[in-house]
Structure formats: structure tokens, C-alpha cells
Amino acid sequence: MATSYQSVSELVVTARQLYGQVFGEEAPRVAVYAPGRVNLIGEHTDYNQGFVLPMALPLVTVVVGSPTAGQDVTVLTAAEDADEPRRVDFSLPTDGSPLSPGLPSWANYVKGVIQHYRAPPVSGFRAVIASSVPLGGGLSSSASLEVAFYTFLQQLKPDDGDMVSKAVACQTAEHTHAGVPCGIMDQFVSVLGKEGHALVDQATPVPLADPRLVILITNSNVKHSLTGSEYSTRRRQCEEAASILGKDSLRDATMKDLEEARNRMDDVTYRRARHVIEEIQRTVQATEALKRGAYKEFGKLMVESHNSLRDLYEVSCRELDELVAAAIKVDGVFGSRMTGGGFGGCTVTLLQAHAIDMTILHIQVNTQTHIHIYMANVPNVSYQDYHQYTISRKEAGR
Ligand code: GAF
């Protein structure tokens, strides 16, 4: 089965068309993009200072636009969402007051990034967003929008170009303007993802470009939202567990520490902490397995990770469980798990390339959900010089 997402160039065309229709003027001067991600293992570990193993995807968010004179900003999104207007207009404060979040909610990512951009003041612009990252699909649609927008601002007025602070600024934007106390994984991999690699411990690339492998991403179409209380509740429970254990974070805790302190915490706090401590260990083992090409071992750890997210961390849902259960029955599948924050979104499955058709068929026949499937054949997009897809003046028709 072929991939079913729009390429970067197609998204740029979509965004430029909308720009032309709305502003009826010359083509936008800048076009940038940033990728979404899939996390292979290491879930809900990042805000516990633990390990993660995400990879950047060919699903991306594109921003095109041009600067304007003055302080006025207009941003449009090509994304279909009947609940929210697709256009937002606002003025950049000139008196140093903060740019407050409001409606539409998608614009809060833009406002947050402007607020935390490291080369203020930002001046006015018009921009259009187009994305192939499914919204609420657990593949980092938010982080890819933040990072793409940050890159857009860099094109209008360069900052000092430090990639790590760029990721941190985007994470801060999500905290202050979207109200999600997320970890740093998504913004990091969107900024630093490298072709044919997964990233462990936030920044060390691990080669993952075996042509015999396929990474299959299956969307349950249950839209998740991390802006509700569940994500922040999990984070708070982890902090409470670390504090009972007398540690700065759960990364510093062992299962022995946890068992010794078991009678000093309630059962829920114990189960949350156990997931995190064991998931950090699993991620270390899985990374070593990946380096050795021990895919069976990797797959087994993926399934253990899913079960732990389902039973101990309680962030899975019936549809995700069904997708995983269906996938792992197929010959040639190494492992499968939910990916991202949970409460809906996608599963990720590691399998032998020859088993792809059978796996997709089996999942479709055996799950009640109508699913969208994306296939990431690992080394298919270059992220070496990603982000900047600058349209030359000639191409822009000027
Ligand atoms: C979301 C968050 F944004 C990440 O920081 C991470 O915590 C993830 O959920 C769970 O692993 O994507």
C-alpha cells in the first residue's frame, strides 16, 4: 500500500494557493517546514528526565508567508476543522505586554512562539499553514507547527540559531499558550531529527535505515487532546512519586527504591512510577537491541511498553488496544504499541517489509475502526537541511 500523505512540495502549493486567494497579491516570500514524529518507545518518560526513541516523519507542517509593514499579523490555516475559524488577525503589542492566548485555539501555538521567539521584537506578517500531520493523532502536530513557525520567524528576522534553545522556546510556547505541560521530546525531534535515525536521550541519533524494515503508523482516528487534565495529572503523579522517593526525578529511581517505598504511596502513584521506571529501562534495552539489529527483542519491548501504558499508566483506549492486538498476530510483525501522549491517536508497528500488505489487511479486517494508514519506510525524507524550503524569487514569480 502506498503512503497516503501530501509531500512537502504539495503542501507548499496548497498553502501558496490559499495565500494568493486571500491576499490577492504576490506569492509569499518564505516557505518553511518542520516534521511531526513517531515515538518508537519511551513514552511519558521525557518529563521524568528519562529516555525516548522518536524519529522525525515525512508528515510535516508547512508555513508560507511574507513580512508586512507595521504590527498586524494575519494567519490562515488550510486545515479543515469545522469548529474553528480558519483565519486569525491580531496586532503585536508595542508596549512589551504579552501576547495572550485566546480563540481560535490553533492560533495559540503561533502566539506562543512569537512570545518566546529569541530575537524580539517580531514585526507584522501574513502567513498560511498547511500540514500533513494529523491533528490530535499523537504524531506531534503541535510541535511541528511550533517549530515550523519558529523557523518562519527566523527567516523574517534571524536569531542566534541555537537549535536546543529553539526547541526549548517552542516547548515553553506550548506550556504558556496551549496549557500543556509537555516534555521536550516532540520539539527536540522536530528540530533535530535526522534522516534514517531515531533520537535517543533527546539528541543522540541511532541509525535506523534497514531496508528490510517498515514502520507502520496506524491512526485509530480517536482524536486525543492533551489540553485536558489527564496529561498534567500524570505529570503531577510522577513528581509526587519522585518526591516520596527523595529523588529529583524518576530517572534517578530504581524498582528497588520503589518497592521499598510502596507502603508510603497510594496504589495509583505506585503504578504510574512503576511504568516510568520500567519504561526508561525498556528504552535503554530497546536502543541497544536496535543497534544490534535484534528486532525481535525490540518488538517484544514495544509490546511490553504498550501493556504498561494500558495497565499501569492508563493512557491507552480500546481502539488502540485493538490495533495493537491485531498487528502482533501477523507473521513478520516484531512489535506494536500506542505512540505519543495516548487517549487516542496512533499506534506504531515494527515489521518486516515483506509482511506489510498482510499486516494492513489483517488490521483492517480485525478492527472495527475505520483507519488511516501511513507507512514510513524509514529513510525516505532528508532532514539534513530540513526546515528551510525557501522559494527563490524567480519561483515565487517576481
Ligand atoms: C506528548 C508530549 F508532548 C511529549 O512531551 C511526551 O510526554 C509524550 O506526550 C508522551 O511520551 O507528545
Side-chain angles (χ1 to χ4, degrees):
M1 180 181 283
T3 48
S4 58
Y5 47 83
Q6 284 186 288
S7 67
V8 176
S9 329
E10 286 165 339
L11 289 167
V12 170
V13 169
T14 304
R16 286 173 64 181
Q17 276 169 354
L18 185 55
Y19 189 94
Q21 280 162 23
V22 173
F23 301 118
E25 60 164 49
E26 60 189 50
R29 247 190 270 161
V30 173
V32 297
Y33 73 94
R37 63 96 188 96
V38 64
N39 191 21
L40 300 174
I41 195 162
E43 217 66 83
H44 288 277
T45 50
D46 61 350
Y47 51 82
N48 291 292
Q49 315 308 323
F51 295 98
V52 292
L53 194 59
M55 52 180 264
L57 289 173
L59 303 171
V60 302
T61 298
V62 158
V63 177
V64 306
S66 296
T68 54
Q71 296 302 111
D72 291 340
V73 169
T74 300
V75 187
L76 288 115
T77 171
E80 307 277 349
D81 186 339
D83 294 341
E84 293 213 289
R86 292 167 70 181
R87 173 178 174 139
V88 67
D89 294 276
F90 56 91
S91 286
L92 299 165
T94 46
D95 58 359
S97 57
L99 199 51
S100 308
L103 289 174
S105 53
W106 57 264
N108 291 331
Y109 299 100
V110 174
K111 291 177 182 169
V113 169
I114 294 173
Q115 182 70 45
H116 298 289
Y117 188 56
R118 280 170 306 127
V122 173
S123 56
F125 59 84
R126 290 166 161 174
V128 173
I129 302 162
S131 184
S132 55
V133 190
L135 300 179
L139 301 179
S140 273
S141 51
S142 316
S144 70
L145 173 56
E146 291 149 10
V147 173
F149 231 95
Y150 198 102
T151 311
F152 176 75
L153 296 183
Q154 287 177 306
Q155 292 291 302
L156 303 189
K157 182 184 179 205
D159 64 348
D160 62 15
D162 169 354
M163 300 288 242
V164 172
S165 351
K166 175 174 175 174
V168 171
C170 291
Q171 178 200 24
T172 311
E174 183 140 350
H175 289 190
T176 58
H177 282 65
V180 180
C182 62
I184 190 71
M185 166 171 74
D186 301 353
Q187 291 79 10
F188 241 91
V189 68
S190 190
V191 171
L192 292 160
K194 243 180 120 199
E195 180 190 6
H197 290 74
L199 281 185
V200 69
D201 197 11
Q202 318 292 13
T204 315
V206 181
L208 178 57
D210 186 335
R212 295 166 304 169
L213 279 187
V214 159
I215 290 171
L216 172 70
I217 299 168
T218 310
N219 193 340
S220 70
N221 282 326
V222 177
K223 285 213 173 182
H224 84 159
S225 164
L226 299 182
T227 48
S229 63
E230 291 292 347
Y231 186 92
S232 45
T233 302
R234 295 297 181 286
R235 188 167 178 158
R236 211 179 41 250
Q237 288 163 337
C238 291
E239 284 160 5
E240 195 187 322
S243 142
I244 294 172
L245 296 174
K247 307 284 182 190
D248 287 342
S249 72
L250 288 178
R251 179 178 178 158
D252 299 332
T254 62
M255 276 307 294
K256 187 166 172 285
D257 297 329
L258 185 64
E259 292 306 337
E260 282 170 6
R262 189 167 185 168
N263 59 4
R264 286 190 278 125
M265 60 180 76
D266 62 45
D267 186 53
V268 173
T269 310
Y270 167 82
R271 285 187 291 122
R272 304 297 189 247
R274 183 172 159 193
H275 163 75
V276 172
I277 295 169
E278 292 180 341
E279 182 78 353
I280 293 172
Q281 286 168 1
R282 272 191 290 272
T283 307
V284 173
Q285 286 167 19
T287 306
E288 289 311 312
L290 197 60
K291 287 182 187 160
R292 283 184 276 114
Y295 303 132
K296 261 194 180 169
E297 188 182 332
F298 190 95
K300 189 169 162 279
L301 292 161
M302 287 175 88
V303 176
E304 285 174 19
S305 165
H306 181 80
N307 294 344
S308 175
L309 288 158
R310 183 192 60 203
D311 302 334
L312 298 177
Y313 218 64
E314 296 179 285
V315 291
S316 187
C317 63
R318 180 179 53 81
E319 292 82 352
L320 291 171
D321 297 343
E322 284 176 5
L323 288 169
V324 168
I328 58 177
K329 288 213 177 76
V330 183
D331 251 10
V333 169
F334 295 117
S336 182
R337 57 185 287 281
M338 56 153 275
T339 187
F343 311 105
C346 291
T347 60
V348 57
T349 302
L350 186 73
L351 65 147
Q352 289 174 350
H354 68 76
I356 186 65
D357 290 339
M358 182 51 78
T359 308
I360 288 172
L361 188 68
H362 189 84
I363 290 175
Q364 284 179 328
V365 169
N366 286 280
T367 58
Q368 302 305 312
T369 18
H370 174 68
I371 49 176
H372 288 308
I373 290 170
Y374 303 101
M375 217 172 77
N377 224 332
V378 183
N380 55 0
V381 167
S382 172
Y383 290 108
Q384 301 294 3
D385 296 312
Y386 64 106
H387 295 319
Q388 288 176 26
Y389 185 91
T390 309
I391 300 174
S392 69
R393 280 173 178 255
K394 190 158 165 258
E395 196 190 342
R398 300 203 293 143

